[in-house]
Amino acid sequence: MSNLESNVWGKKKFCDILKEIYDNQKRKEQQISALIGELKPLINDIGDATLIVPLIKEYMELGIKNDEQLVKMATIIQRAIASNKSEEEGFGMTNDEKTQLLSEIKKFNPKD
């Protein structure tokens, strides 16, 4: 697991990125659940449902996308644990995979 402690860029470690992704996903999950909970009581008739149900659907889709990010994170961890390669070989990931991973991370955290 020492591979998780290696710097990815600057002072940011791989394990720091994984924790940040996880924390962000959990926070978004709570926000989505709260929003859905606030919308449910507003449905009194079919007219209300036609307006509010699409919003709930959109929030649910966001939750699914959040779960997909957690699955991707778990895949990365699995590769890191299963890999017996040296740190220079980058967790058994190709350069293309590393580039793709970094671009995905930057999409969710553009300020870095």
Side-chain angles (χ1 to χ4, degrees):
M1 293 288 278
S2 66
N3 290 340
L4 296 177
E5 294 296 323
S6 62
N7 287 343
V8 176
W9 71 85
K11 293 183 179 180
K12 190 155 269 209
K13 295 178 183 176
F14 191 69
C15 61
D16 296 335
I17 294 169
L18 295 177
K19 182 176 179 345
E20 189 174 321
I21 291 169
Y22 177 80
D23 290 344
N24 287 343
Q25 299 306 338
K26 294 309 279 181
R27 189 171 37 255
K28 287 176 188 172
E29 178 183 335
Q30 292 171 346
Q31 290 171 340
I32 290 168
S33 294
L35 288 170
I36 290 172
E38 290 173 12
L39 290 175
K40 281 182 185 178
L42 300 176
I43 301 174
N44 296 320
D45 58 36
I46 192 73
D48 294 340
T50 59
L51 294 173
I52 295 174
V53 170
L55 292 174
I56 293 174
K57 177 184 177 276
E58 197 171 319
Y59 295 147
M60 296 292 286
E61 287 174 352
L62 284 172
I64 291 168
K65 288 180 183 178
N66 288 341
D67 291 343
E68 288 173 356
Q69 294 303 314
L70 289 174
V71 169
K72 287 179 184 179
M73 184 174 75
T75 302
I76 292 166
I77 293 170
Q78 182 181 17
R79 282 187 180 186
I81 292 170
S83 176
N84 290 327
K85 298 181 180 185
S86 67
E87 289 183 8
E88 291 81 31
E89 293 182 49
F91 305 112
M93 297 171 69
T94 66
N95 284 335
D96 289 340
E97 290 172 323
K98 287 188 261 184
T99 302
Q100 182 183 3
L101 174 62
L102 289 174
S103 68
E104 288 292 322
I105 291 169
K106 288 178 184 177
K107 284 181 191 176
F108 290 100
N109 198 6
K111 63 184 174 195
D112 285 340

